[in-house]
Amino acid sequence: MITNTLRSDVPALEHTQTPAKTSISSRSKQWFKRNAYNLHRWISLIALVPALMWSLSGMSHPFMAHWFKPTIAKEFLPALPIDQSAVTMPLSEALRANGIAEIKQFRLVNFKGAVFYQIQQISSPEHVYLNTRTGTRLQNGDALYAEFLAKQYFGNKNAQVLEKRIITKFDDDYRYINRLLPVWKISFQEGGYDVYVETASGRMATYNTPLRRAFLLTFQYLHNWGWLNGVEPMRVGVIVVFLSVIICAAVAGIVLYSFTWKKRRSKPASGLRKYHRSIGIAVSLSTFTFAASGMYHALHKERLRDEAGQPALQATFKAEELNFGAKEAAFVAPPMFDVSAVKMPVGGIPTVFYRFSHSVKLDAADDCCAPMQSIKADNNGKKPESIKAATYFIAETGKPLPRGDAQYAKHVAVRLAGISTSQILRESLITEFKGEYGFINKRLPVQRIDIASEKKTALYIETQSGTLAATVQDGDRLEGFSFAYVHKLEFLKPLGKDVRDGVAVGLGLLNSVVAMLGLVLFVRLPKKQ
């Protein structure tokens, strides 16, 4: 907020000798009264451009995220059952036939009327696709599968593809807020849509249109100050300095307003001074809270860590370790949706397990079958009859592992977070975004691992990919609350998104108006002598 007043609004001080007994606090108050006008005047000038950048770009966020957000046919695709009878060639044999000795991961996908082993390679971000019946390799399989997925999300199987490109690091178009890497960018001619899909899971990471890209760039460069990317300590430092200046300008304006209260009652202001003063004091609290919460967020957030991506447990498997075939595919009754391999120690010996995603009757779920979806009753009070679950089998013996998903989550937590098993207090399954684990984290379902620590650390592990999706401590919870409820006005969400976003845009607009009125008054009015 940039507030200004006429020099006549500041009470004139009598030129009398200050008594020797005047306290330091009294002298400081008198000094501030004499200089408040000029302090506010010049501090506000320094804050002018950053304040306008943040206010105007903040106003663009509701348009980008809500009001003008483009639509897409589907944001999620239902998992399709795998034809288990199609798995006839063992995986180890298919790998050897294609000269592949070692892999990072495999899963099964339905594609082009067939079932394929999707192989995550060690040396390339692109996956290899081997037919489960013949072992034949599908040429350019990852690009074809990415296009297949993107067209389903886009809702037009005949859409013309202009570009297919794999993305292995975040950039201005695909920012780290999307979390998933690597992804394929599929650009369509229709509507200028770009659809980003992760072939390793079949998920859509995000989608853009030319208008949304413009909003994103505006927000990135004016609100996050992306033009200083590459010099991260400097970027944060500059942001903190200017936010401090804005806070000082707001506080100085509020104090100046209180100093001139009696004078204004006898001689009300008019014209621009009246509007600047009235609007300024009305939005001063929002100016202070936006700037303070933004500073807290900038100091707390570790952008470089985020840009490095979410850490994942990197196991490797030799071809001979993966005996998956027709017998193993029948470990679970249909419908089966996916299978992958994990490696964790049993009695100190590294052991390979197959992790199945399949459907079970709700009343038949037990410790060996970890639910992968919410089992809450719907609005009619009815619970689902069947649920998706995860079951682990020892690859060599076919013996199921009780509570396998929780055990694997703890193994991942120990490896990635550098903790010991004795520090783990409890684990719990999370099947929906809420509270401290919000939609921004992208991954579900996850296992929450609570750690014994002063900071009350919670680790969120996506067992499907062995990824540490989020680490949350008390400091993160406080900052998250500040950013959500003070900066993004989430406390207004019960009234509806339109109300919340309308208030945010209104406050941004009024702060911009106050800033511009302050600039006009700065030019017109003389410096206080």
Side-chain angles (χ1 to χ4, degrees), residues 488-518:
K488 298 175 68 176
L489 307 182
E490 285 295 303
F491 67 92
L492 294 174
K493 196 171 181 179
L495 301 178
K497 287 185 178 181
D498 288 329
V499 172
R500 179 200 62 189
D501 292 345
V503 170
V505 170
L507 290 173
L509 179 61
L510 289 174
N511 275 281
S512 300
V513 169
V514 171
M516 293 308 300
L517 289 175

Side-chain angles (χ1 to χ4, degrees), residues 234-486:
M234 180 185 203
R235 186 186 76 93
V236 173
V238 171
I239 287 174
V240 168
V241 167
F242 279 112
L243 285 173
S244 300
V245 171
I246 290 174
I247 291 172
C248 289
V251 171
I254 295 171
V255 173
L256 189 59
Y257 185 89
S258 66
F259 282 169
T260 61
W261 175 256
K262 292 182 180 180
K263 183 69 175 179
R264 285 181 288 100
R265 291 185 65 183
S266 60
K267 186 180 178 181
S270 61
L272 294 181
R273 288 169 292 162
K274 174 183 177 182
Y275 293 116
H276 176 65
R277 179 185 299 144
S278 301
I279 299 173
I281 199 65
V283 299
S284 58
L285 179 61
S286 73
T287 308
F288 179 83
T289 55
F290 281 149
S293 58
M295 183 190 299
Y296 188 16
H297 183 67
L299 289 171
H300 185 84
K301 189 175 178 62
E302 297 182 43
R303 187 180 66 86
L304 294 181
R305 182 190 65 184
D306 287 343
E307 286 192 336
Q310 296 165 312
L313 188 59
Q314 298 295 323
T316 57
F317 303 88
K318 297 184 182 300
E320 56 268 24
E321 292 182 292
L322 301 172
N323 58 0
F324 187 84
K327 183 180 76 171
E328 289 73 24
F331 280 173
V332 297
M336 180 186 85
F337 302 104
D338 203 356
V339 64
S340 57
V342 303
K343 187 180 288 187
M344 57 180 163
V346 174
I349 301 173
T351 303
V352 177
F353 294 84
Y354 295 130
R355 180 189 187 275
F356 285 83
S357 172
H358 60 116
S359 180
V360 296
K361 294 290 185 181
L362 184 59
D363 56 4
D366 54 26
D367 282 344
C368 74
C369 305
M372 292 288 102
Q373 68 181 70
S374 173
I375 57 175
K376 291 181 179 178
D378 58 21
N379 294 333
N380 297 320
K382 184 178 180 181
K383 288 187 176 182
E385 294 182 0
S386 299
I387 59 170
K388 286 183 64 177
T391 306
Y392 291 67
F393 293 87
I394 299 176
E396 189 173 356
T397 65
K399 183 180 178 180
L401 178 67
R403 303 187 70 252
D405 207 57
Q407 290 197 50
Y408 183 59
K410 288 190 284 188
H411 171 66
V412 174
V414 168
R415 292 287 303 277
L416 294 181
I419 61 172
S420 65
T421 53
S422 62
Q423 291 178 267
I424 297 176
L425 297 176
R426 70 189 68 85
E427 70 280 341
S428 53
L429 182 67
I430 306 297
T431 58
E432 57 183 317
F433 296 115
K434 63 179 181 179
E436 67 185 35
Y437 189 77
F439 180 76
I440 193 174
N441 295 293
K442 297 293 184 181
R443 300 178 185 273
L444 278 180
V446 293
Q447 291 277 357
R448 171 176 169 153
I449 307 294
D450 287 287
I451 308 301
S453 68
E454 292 182 358
K455 298 179 180 179
K456 298 181 180 178
T457 303
L459 307 175
Y460 292 86
I461 308 295
E462 184 188 50
T463 52
Q464 177 187 350
S465 61
T467 299
L468 178 55
T471 301
V472 182
Q473 300 176 334
D474 276 347
D476 304 308
R477 295 181 182 100
L478 180 59
E479 189 278 329
F481 179 87
S482 165
F483 194 67
Y485 286 89
V486 179

Side-chain angles (χ1 to χ4, degrees), residues 31-51:
W31 180 90
F32 193 83
K33 279 187 176 183
R34 289 195 302 270
N35 294 277
Y37 172 78
N38 288 330
L39 282 172
H40 174 64
R41 195 170 189 258
W42 288 102
I43 291 174
S44 298
L45 182 65
I46 296 172
L48 174 66
V49 173

Side-chain angles (χ1 to χ4, degrees), residues 60-288:
S60 75
H61 191 272
F63 292 92
M64 169 182 65
H66 182 195
W67 290 329
F68 286 177
K69 183 179 180 180
T71 58
I72 197 165
K74 298 176 181 177
E75 294 198 18
F76 303 96
L77 294 178
L80 298 177
I82 299 292
D83 180 5
Q84 289 156 269
S85 66
V87 182
T88 56
M89 177 176 279
L91 175 58
S92 57
E93 185 178 330
L95 291 173
R96 284 194 296 268
N98 286 273
I100 301 173
E102 195 171 21
I103 68 173
K104 288 170 62 177
Q105 187 54 275
F106 86 95
R107 62 189 287 255
L108 296 177
V109 296
N110 281 312
F111 176 45
K112 295 178 75 69
V115 178
F116 292 89
Y117 293 117
Q118 183 196 67
I119 308 300
Q120 293 186 29
Q121 302 180 87
I122 294 176
S123 58
S124 172
E126 293 192 38
H127 303 145
V128 172
Y129 294 73
L130 308 179
N131 192 291
T132 58
R133 292 185 185 275
T134 64
T136 305
R137 179 170 180 168
L138 179 65
Q139 295 300 316
N140 299 317
D142 211 34
L144 292 172
Y145 186 54
E147 180 180 333
F148 168 75
L149 290 172
K151 286 182 176 180
Q152 288 191 80
Y153 286 114
F154 189 48
N156 183 356
K157 64 180 182 180
N158 298 315
Q160 183 174 348
V161 175
L162 299 179
E163 180 189 21
K164 288 183 287 190
R165 179 164 59 93
I166 194 166
I167 306 294
T168 57
K169 63 181 181 179
F170 299 111
D171 55 26
D172 286 342
D173 285 335
Y174 185 73
R175 297 180 56 229
Y176 58 84
I177 196 173
N178 297 299
R179 297 296 193 269
L180 305 179
L181 278 178
V183 295
W184 278 86
K185 175 185 177 181
I186 310 296
S187 300
F188 294 110
Q189 179 174 324
E190 292 83 352
Y193 272 74
D194 295 330
V195 180
Y196 296 83
V197 293
E198 182 190 50
T199 52
S201 63
R203 288 179 285 209
M204 180 177 67
T206 190
Y207 62 96
N208 286 331
T209 62
L211 179 60
R212 192 161 188 262
R213 282 193 294 272
F215 276 129
L216 284 170
L217 285 175
T218 298
F219 194 81
Q220 168 72 356
Y221 281 88
L222 296 186
H223 210 81
N224 296 336
W225 290 28
W227 45 279
L228 286 175
N229 285 351
V231 285
E232 183 60 11
M234 180 185 203
R235 186 186 76 93
V236 173
V238 171
I239 287 174
V240 168
V241 167
F242 279 112
L243 285 173
S244 300
V245 171
I246 290 174
I247 291 172
C248 289
V251 171
I254 295 171
V255 173
L256 189 59
Y257 185 89
S258 66
F259 282 169
T260 61
W261 175 256
K262 292 182 180 180
K263 183 69 175 179
R264 285 181 288 100
R265 291 185 65 183
S266 60
K267 186 180 178 181
S270 61
L272 294 181
R273 288 169 292 162
K274 174 183 177 182
Y275 293 116
H276 176 65
R277 179 185 299 144
S278 301
I279 299 173
I281 199 65
V283 299
S284 58
L285 179 61
S286 73
T287 308
F288 179 83

